[in-house]
Amino acid sequence: MSCYDRRDLGLLLLRLGTGGVLAAHGAQKLFGWFGGHGLEGTGQFMESVGYAPGKASAAASGLAETGSGVLLALGLATPAAGAAAAGAMAGAAAVHLPNGFFAQEGGYEHPVSLGLVGAALAVTGPGRLSLDDALGHVLDRGWMVPAAFGVTAAVTAVVVGARTRRVRARAAGEQDTLFEE
């Protein structure tokens, strides 16, 4: 097996593993599969951590995770899929940020790892063992990488920024209540 063939196999394994994890997490949010809480329960959680409206946020997050995961696993529209995974995981990391880095403490380690792999796959490409390759890379052009990251960065900045303002306002309101007692 040549080095190029090993690279393609490695990219396939990375895409299948990362895509599978992302899709499973998204399915928890959307459908309640794999021990998840579905849109209703996830929506309540999203609202509690500052993503509002909660149910719409749960749907958007679930669709981004499931969609990017399936697309990454297939190696289809890899720039958009990887950028979407990175954006979704940036939103998740924002929630876990106050808990530090490590996952066992509720930290941001896991979403950052998934987001970085998604970003790396968007930049590197899916390899020859992919639908993008089979389709002649019509959804995997060089210009699509910065375009996908640009759109994703803008949307992520707006969504995470709005969440941060809500969390700060809620914390300020709680602080005011403590002083009024």
Side-chain angles (χ1 to χ4, degrees), residues 1-175:
M1 198 178 245
S2 73
C3 288
Y4 193 72
D5 292 332
R6 288 175 44 207
R7 178 184 170 271
D8 292 326
L9 183 58
L11 286 169
L12 173 65
L13 293 172
L14 195 58
R15 288 191 350 258
L16 289 173
T18 303
V21 170
L22 285 164
H25 279 278
Q28 286 181 311
K29 291 173 179 66
L30 292 174
F31 311 117
W33 296 354
F34 313 116
H37 300 287
L39 282 177
E40 198 61 43
T42 304
Q44 291 171 6
F45 170 75
M46 296 292 264
E47 192 84 37
S48 78
V49 296
Y51 286 112
K55 196 168 183 180
S57 297
S61 175
L63 287 170
E65 290 176 15
T66 303
S68 68
V70 168
L71 290 172
L72 283 174
L74 295 172
L76 181 62
T78 305
M89 292 300 100
V95 172
H96 295 280
L97 193 63
N99 301 325
F101 179 72
F102 292 104
Q104 71 263 26
E105 301 296 325
Y108 56 90
E109 170 185 16
H110 185 66
V112 165
S113 296
L114 289 172
L116 285 172
V117 173
L121 287 167
V123 171
T124 304
R128 291 187 301 181
L129 301 172
S130 66
L131 286 180
D132 275 337
D133 189 69
L135 297 172
H137 295 277
V138 295
L139 300 174
D140 180 32
R141 304 277 187 214
W143 65 266
M144 294 175 181
V145 175
F149 279 113
V151 169
T152 300
V155 170
T156 302
V158 168
V159 170
V160 173
R163 178 210 173 252
T164 300
R165 286 188 297 280
R166 281 197 258 335
V167 168
R168 286 183 180 158
R170 186 183 305 154
E174 289 173 7
Q175 190 68 31

